[in-house]
Amino acid sequence: MRGFLASSIGVACTVALVLPLSLASGAAAVAPRAPDVPGSTQSLPLAPIDETDPGRSLGPAAEQGLTRRDVRPFSLVGVVWDDVNAVLHGSVQVRTRAVGSGAWSGWQDVETHNDEHRADPGTRESEWGRVRGATAPLWVGASDGVEVRVSAEAAGPWPLPEGLSLELVDPGGDSVAAQAPPAGGEGAVGTGDDVTMSEEDVIPALSRAETEADAKAAGAIGALEASPYIGPRPRIITRKGWGADESLREPGFVYTNSVKVAFVHHTATGNSYTCAQAPSVLRSIYRYHVVSSGWRDFGYNFAVDKCGNIYEGRAGGVANPVLGAHTLGFNTDSTGIAVLGTYSLSTPPAAAVNAIAQLTAWKLGLYGIDPRGKSVLTSGGSGKYAKGKNVSFNTISGHRDAFFTECPGSLLYGKLGAARTSSAVLQGRS
């Protein structure tokens, strides 16, 4: 069936495939659900360093921060500022104190170039008054002390953006012990079933034959008649499964016409999480995107952890062409898949790469797309490509293909060729 789906925030609506609940779990309108233990966000305005540490002052336009201080428990940090179009030319470093340990971490870098992960220009989500500039968030585990310094580039003429504040996010839902940083830093890598959920929290996996039968029975995917290649539906943990507080996001859903390209990202949140902590990481990123950055929902359509677990991201139905806020200029007719972690210098686990292949074989297959092929998208304006320019992408692309960015990290980007091949095999292509 087809229908016109209106957004409650006024973004222009397009004709979209609307799949039944068996395929589009999460698309049905339900009452907002809050976790049993809700999360919270602390916003701490930053001050010029000369107000807090005269010995290190570089002037208010060059360095701001906070000295060590006690705070309520949190697990994820980021820095935001008033103007979403302002760029932070400089560095952000934090150090934190783990709950119950009294021990402070060393200085950790926060990725500052996060402006390419957001809604397309000209959409209400991109331009409404709540949207702010933001760094990438950094997962630090349960902490109750923090120190931060933000320094402008020494060689540059740019002042720091106005309205800088430190955002400390408590994901809620888990005990402090469950959120604590794992011994050894990286955490265990498992089988893809490491996150235990009840049946109602998971969209179950289907075989390829079951997936084809389910899709054809839906009567909503004409692409299967012309190109009968679709991968088996993988197991997907729903928003309910990872504890999304539906009262945070804007109500309603926004859809585009199709899914022609899957853009792969890394979240740049660091790799010091266990897969059992992944739901907490997701709740933290979600709260940072919506409460701190002012987006209407979680930015990515899907997330993958390092054990290969796949999660529903932005609400609207996992099989539907949901408009996300992941690849500036190219969110229309695409889907965004974010691997939790930072893969510029760390090799992504094979389980995560396999999950990308499984997810794209199914998701792209629903729209008749060959994972080894190319699709043309029209730029909404990205910095790398002018608005209105038609750009040919690999149907499984890295974020850097669409924007001047390191995302998804060089080592994950280097695995995308293998993911394309595996995805095509899963679709039954020779």
Side-chain angles (χ1 to χ4, degrees):
M1 57 182 168
R2 285 178 177 267
F4 287 91
L5 302 175
S7 164
S8 64
I9 60 169
V11 177
C13 177
T14 59
V15 178
L17 294 170
V18 185
L19 308 184
L21 190 59
S22 60
L23 283 173
S25 178
V30 295
R33 172 186 180 274
D36 294 335
V37 181
S40 63
T41 302
Q42 303 171 70
S43 296
L44 306 178
L46 301 190
I49 291 295
D50 60 352
E51 292 182 5
T52 55
D53 186 358
R56 293 183 54 248
S57 174
L58 296 177
E63 191 167 18
Q64 296 187 31
L66 295 173
T67 54
R68 290 188 182 188
R69 62 191 59 207
D70 298 334
V71 292
R72 298 193 308 275
F74 67 96
S75 294
L76 179 139
V77 303
V79 171
V80 301
W81 53 91
D82 293 340
D83 184 357
V84 67
N85 294 311
V87 178
L88 198 165
H89 294 282
S91 63
V92 176
Q93 293 184 308
V94 299
R95 52 185 173 189
T96 57
R97 183 183 61 207
V99 168
S101 72
W104 285 82
S105 71
W107 286 106
Q108 300 181 75
D109 293 322
V110 178
E111 174 59 59
T112 60
H113 300 295
N114 195 46
D115 57 319
E116 68 271 20
H117 297 86
R118 56 185 172 99
D120 288 349
T123 62
R124 184 172 173 183
E125 181 174 4
S126 178
E127 297 180 346
W128 65 344
R130 287 178 50 192
V131 181
R132 308 175 72 189
T135 68
L138 178 68
W139 174 263
V140 294
S143 305
D144 59 8
V146 68
E147 182 176 10
V148 63
R149 60 191 185 196
V150 180
S151 303
E153 290 180 358
W158 309 280
L160 294 174
E162 294 183 359
L164 290 168
S165 70
L166 179 67
E167 303 290 290
L168 305 176
V169 180
D170 170 15
D174 291 340
S175 67
V176 167
Q179 296 176 34
E186 288 293 315
V189 174
T191 63
D193 293 315
D194 288 53
V195 179
T196 302
M197 300 285 171
S198 66
E199 286 186 9
E200 65 178 4
D201 295 334
V202 174
I203 301 169
L206 298 178
S207 69
R208 185 167 174 240
E210 290 171 331
T211 301
E212 286 187 6
D214 197 34
K216 289 177 180 177
I221 308 177
L224 284 179
E225 298 176 3
S227 179
Y229 296 103
I230 183 171
R233 185 178 71 190
R235 171 181 179 263
I236 302 173
I237 298 169
T238 66
R239 288 170 63 92
K240 183 176 183 293
W242 56 263
D245 181 349
E246 301 295 355
S247 67
L248 292 180
R249 67 173 176 85
E250 280 291 303
F253 313 119
V254 185
Y255 299 92
T256 62
N257 285 318
S258 184
V259 175
K260 299 178 180 179
V261 175
F263 286 109
V264 178
H265 306 255
H266 68 173
T267 58
T269 46
N271 301 324
S272 61
Y273 71 94
T274 66
C275 293
Q277 292 174 321
S280 292
V281 177
L282 287 168
R283 290 196 302 276
S284 298
I285 296 173
Y286 173 45
R287 178 171 280 274
Y288 185 73
H289 283 177
V290 177
V291 177
S292 299
S293 303
W295 299 1
R296 66 182 304 270
D297 193 359
F298 192 84
Y300 308 104
N301 298 101
F302 297 93
V304 172
D305 69 25
K306 57 187 170 185
C307 293
N309 297 295
I310 299 170
Y311 302 84
E312 177 184 17
R314 178 162 288 211
V318 294
N320 287 332
V322 178
L323 179 67
H326 49 83
T327 306
L328 180 66
F330 294 99
N331 290 300
T332 297
D333 292 343
S334 71
T335 193
I337 303 169
V339 181
L340 300 181
T342 305
Y343 297 103
S344 301
L345 300 175
S346 296
T347 300
V353 179
N354 290 339
I356 293 170
Q358 293 163 9
L359 178 57
T360 54
W362 172 71
K363 182 72 175 185
L364 294 177
L366 291 174
Y367 297 89
I369 300 297
D370 185 343
R372 301 165 305 184
K374 291 184 179 292
S375 291
V376 174
L377 299 179
T378 301
S379 175
S382 74
K384 186 172 185 178
Y385 296 106
K387 183 176 181 179
K389 183 176 178 60
N390 291 328
V391 183
S392 178
F393 291 103
N394 290 319
T395 56
I396 300 176
S397 285
H399 189 183
R400 62 173 60 184
D401 295 320
F403 196 91
F404 294 115
T405 176
E406 289 298 310
C407 182
S410 297
L411 297 185
L412 177 54
Y413 187 77
K415 298 291 185 180
L416 296 187
R420 294 182 192 109
T421 300
S422 296
S423 183
V425 170
L426 287 167
Q427 283 190 350
R429 299 177 187 271
S430 58

